[in-house]
Amino acid sequence: MQQTMQDFPLRVGSILDHAARYHPDRPVSGRSVEGPIVRSTWQQVAQDARRLTGALQTLGVQKGDVIGVMAWNTTRHLSVWYGIPGAGAVNHTLNPRLFADQLVYIITHAEDRILMVDFDLLPVIEAIYDRLSGIEHIIVLTDRDHMPDSTIPDLICYENLIRDQSPDTPWVEGDEREPCGICYTSGTTGNPKGVVYTHRSNVLHAMSASTPDMLNLSSNDTIMPVVPLFHANGWSTAYTAPLVGCAMMMPGRDMAPAALYELLEMGVTMTAAVPTIWLGLLQHLKDNDLKLGTLERVIIGGASCPRAVIETFQSIYGVKVLHAWGMTEMSPLGTICSFKPEITRMSPMAQLDAQDTVGHPPYTVDLRITDETGAVLDWDGKTQGDLWAKGAAVVQRYLKQDSDALDADGWFHTGDVATIDRHGYVRITDRSKDVIKSGGEWISSIELENCAIAHPDIAEAAAIGMPHPKWDERPVLLVLPRAGTRPDRAEIMALLSERFAKWQMPDDILFVDEIPHTATGKISKLTLRERLKAMDYRLPDLA
Ligand code: ADP
């Protein structure tokens, strides 16, 4: 049978074209790296993106070339985000917080030919420049007045580079399955692994992520992505926002609570970041007796969101929390906790319980849990198992590896441990390498941490399993007290005992001055384990 429909290649450039054509004057504003708040529109972002496409072509960029970008969330970064794939090249997001060795590794491994860098981040590149062999040009993302002095020769000024290019430069066309962007997982063990998104995977992901039961994003929203564009595909915000034609507020480099608050109050309706950011903001609001005037929804993911954060946002500030789970390997959205009618019908307390879960997946993501033998487990909301995913924007194989990262049935092993309930709501109980295995049972480190953090004097907590000859592992809780407080050990134990059985309770509580984090803001349990090893820590009953 003949099919009669048009072939519409799912290229990311078409997303920006849509925004520029149907939402041309929608504000795209934000704090620039130079300092002032700048105002742009989707039409201007698109014009600059096309200018960049033209400029990259004059530098000899060919289809498939990789361009590394180390930049904060700015309006300029949005043009870069589209100008690179517009030239047929691949946008490799670089996290400035990575260790120097990791940066050298990923820039070399991905074969970046050009680097584009915010001027304040240039020292990060200068420090590793001698170890980068394949870089042909470095473009500094600023104007002539802000070009820094540098040890690197022949730096190119971005604004000068694009100034004389045509705002109508055509995109390089091609197949929707061509590569479009690369993001490396932060690689808590071993080298980071590269995930190469295609135009198609990004477009399909953005379409499913913006639907009502997911982000529920519309042209009436103003979204502020606090999550950096260099984390996990920028949580797709640079695609979902123009796809629906909503306004954007880009926070720039300053993520301090006061700076974020100032921007939130400029009409932002929706924002997104990891829990640590929100802990800081909520404290700032409390300390200064502030209200949130326009914010309606906040997406919290990347790490488990403490219940206290959800409750405070909702009951004190009237802001709905969307607890989300995802991974770099999933572009990144896996699930979002929006309410299906089954949940809306529940009591307020049961709804809050539901928000401890990360919710349900959109169309294009499929999930399952299995036991140690690989048998598929029931969705009873209780049985924990390894979480697997399949989908249109889920990784198939890491860059330059010679086999797929999938099992024989095409499922990707997320490395997370989860339960799924009968409504399809997923509860992430741990990363498989962090789950505490005691006497053949599993204790969720995330649940211990979230419970501990409800104590008013605890700023942050980390639970880790320490080897034990009889039980295999026993939990130890590391606690970072809030400044100026000295939380009481017995009080913390009493708090935990309200939710945990005796065998799940930590064997020890250690008070620490700092809890180390990875480059993507997660608690680094690897570092904590190393620290305990270095101090020759022993569990109380083994000391
Ligand atoms: P990286 O691995 O580079 O730190 P990712 O964003 O890819 O960055 O990390 C994905 C992991 O983050 C997930 O596999 C999961 O362990 C954790 N994670 C993400 N969202 C949540 C959440 N809402 N609750 C618990 N864990 C989460």
Side-chain angles (χ1 to χ4, degrees):
M1 178 64 198
Q2 171 196 12
Q3 72 86 12
T4 63
M5 304 317 287
Q6 296 182 11
D7 188 18
F8 179 90
L10 303 176
R11 303 271 293 184
V12 297
S14 66
I15 295 179
L16 188 59
D17 290 344
H18 172 79
R21 196 161 156 79
Y22 295 100
H23 307 271
D25 301 323
R26 193 89 56 231
V28 180
S29 317
R31 204 183 305 274
S32 61
V33 274
E34 291 84 5
I37 290 175
V38 293
R39 289 168 210 287
S40 185
T41 61
W42 281 124
Q43 187 173 48
Q44 287 167 355
V45 169
Q47 287 174 344
D48 275 357
R50 286 179 181 272
R51 287 191 178 97
L52 176 61
T53 285
L56 292 175
Q57 287 166 336
T58 63
L59 292 177
V61 167
Q62 306 279 323
K63 213 179 222 188
D65 284 349
V66 181
I67 301 183
V69 179
M70 188 182 282
W72 305 112
N73 287 10
T74 60
T75 55
R76 191 184 276 135
H77 195 166
L78 290 172
S79 294
V80 171
W81 194 266
Y82 284 93
I84 293 174
V90 185
N91 174 11
H92 175 195
T93 52
L94 301 174
N95 182 345
R97 300 184 190 115
L98 288 181
F99 293 120
D101 285 352
Q102 287 183 327
L103 273 175
V104 172
Y105 175 84
I106 67 174
I107 291 171
T108 310
H109 186 259
E111 299 177 45
D112 293 8
R113 285 186 59 191
I114 294 179
L115 295 180
M116 302 182 74
V117 192
D118 271 343
F119 76 89
D120 63 312
L121 293 171
L122 194 59
V124 181
I125 299 298
E126 284 171 341
I128 57 172
Y129 184 64
D130 288 349
R131 298 163 67 192
L132 302 177
S133 51
I135 301 298
E136 292 159 30
H137 303 288
I138 295 186
I139 302 169
V140 184
L141 293 166
T142 191
D143 52 26
R144 181 49 65 202
D145 291 346
H146 291 85
M147 280 300 281
D149 290 331
S150 174
T151 51
I152 302 176
D154 305 324
L155 292 176
I156 299 173
C157 168
Y158 172 84
E159 293 294 344
N160 266 23
L161 177 72
I162 68 165
R163 194 183 48 208
D164 298 328
Q165 296 292 327
S166 163
D168 299 316
T169 307
W171 303 133
V172 170
E173 298 299 344
D175 191 89
E176 63 182 26
R177 286 177 173 80
E178 284 172 356
C180 168
I182 307 182
C183 185
Y184 280 74
T185 61
S186 53
T188 38
T189 50
N191 280 322
K193 292 188 290 239
V195 177
V196 184
Y197 309 111
T198 62
H199 284 263
R200 173 188 153 87
S201 70
N202 274 330
V203 172
L204 287 175
H205 176 274
M207 284 167 62
S208 62
S210 43
T211 51
D213 278 339
M214 295 292 123
L215 301 181
N216 189 18
L217 207 56
S218 90
S219 58
N220 294 287
D221 279 307
T222 298
I223 186 168
M224 177 160 90
V226 180
V227 55
L229 289 172
F230 52 75
H231 276 186
N233 207 15
W235 292 12
S236 184
T237 51
Y239 298 124
T240 46
L243 186 134
V244 301
C246 76
M248 286 191 99
M249 175 62 76
M250 305 301 280
R253 149 186 53 188
D254 191 355
M255 317 241 183
L260 294 182
Y261 180 73
E262 183 191 345
L263 297 182
L264 283 173
E265 288 301 286
M266 295 173 84
V268 172
T269 59
M270 183 161 194
T271 180
V274 292
T276 349
I277 295 280
W278 304 124
L279 284 166
L281 181 83
L282 291 175
Q283 191 63 41
H284 176 77
L285 297 179
K286 189 170 168 216
D287 293 347
N288 297 285
D289 198 16
L290 300 169
K291 293 269 168 295
L292 290 164
T294 56
L295 191 65
E296 293 166 9
R297 285 159 294 153
V298 52
I299 307 160
I300 308 185
S304 173
C305 181
R307 180 184 271 234
V309 171
I310 301 178
E311 264 184 311
T312 310
F313 260 122
Q314 295 183 162
S315 63
I316 301 190
Y317 299 102
V319 173
K320 175 95 180 171
V321 169
L322 293 166
H323 192 189
W325 165 81
M327 320 177 64
T328 303
E329 288 90 334
M330 298 182 68
S331 299
L333 180 64
T335 57
I336 285 191
C337 191
S338 64
F339 290 177
K340 298 186 191 178
E342 296 86 296
I343 310 295
T344 308
R345 282 197 291 269
M346 292 178 175
S347 70
M349 198 40 93
Q351 289 181 348
L352 207 53
D353 286 342
Q355 289 186 291
D356 278 342
T357 79
V358 291
H360 52 103
Y363 166 63
T364 67
V365 174
D366 195 10
L367 301 172
R368 67 166 198 192
I369 45 173
T370 63
D371 68 13
E372 280 121 288
T373 68
V376 175
L377 293 168
D378 287 343
W379 292 9
D380 60 9
K382 291 193 199 81
T383 316
Q384 303 185 44
D386 289 315
L387 180 62
W388 301 75
K390 242 183 206 187
V394 178
V395 73
Q396 164 122 8
R397 175 184 293 219
Y398 293 104
L399 178 60
K400 293 185 181 170
Q401 295 210 347
D402 40 18
S403 59
D404 285 350
L406 310 178
D407 75 356
D409 298 324
W411 290 92
F412 168 70
H413 184 212
T414 64
D416 286 326
V417 178
T419 65
I420 304 181
D421 72 13
R422 66 197 167 95
H423 302 305
Y425 279 59
V426 176
R427 179 188 305 272
I428 304 291
T429 55
D430 240 315
R431 277 201 158 184
S432 48
K433 56 184 185 299
D434 294 336
V435 75
I436 302 164
K437 293 185 174 145
S438 178
E441 300 288 340
W442 289 4
I443 304 172
S444 161
S445 67
I446 293 182
E447 279 170 20
L448 279 174
E449 289 156 9
N450 280 346
C451 184
I453 218 165
H455 189 290
D457 294 343
I458 297 184
E460 211 173 0
I464 53 181
M466 292 306 292
H468 190 284
K470 178 165 175 203
W471 302 111
D472 191 14
E473 284 181 340
R474 289 296 303 151
V476 169
L477 188 69
L478 292 99
V479 166
L480 173 71
R482 267 189 210 289
T485 68
R486 295 184 68 188
D488 181 65
R489 178 186 299 263
E491 229 178 75
I492 301 172
M493 283 303 212
L495 178 73
L496 294 175
S497 66
E498 287 170 21
R499 284 192 64 164
F500 294 94
K502 217 164 159 216
W503 64 271
Q504 296 172 315
M505 294 286 286
D507 277 12
D508 203 0
I509 298 181
L510 303 176
F511 294 95
V512 294
D513 303 334
E514 188 229 344
I515 292 209
H517 291 94
T518 67
T520 48
K522 298 189 171 73
I523 294 175
S524 176
K525 301 223 169 148
L526 187 75
T527 316
L528 281 176
R529 283 196 195 95
E530 281 166 358
R531 282 185 190 171
L532 288 178
K533 204 167 161 204
M535 62 187 252
D536 199 22
Y537 173 79
R538 275 160 218 264
L539 288 162
D541 66 327
L542 305 176

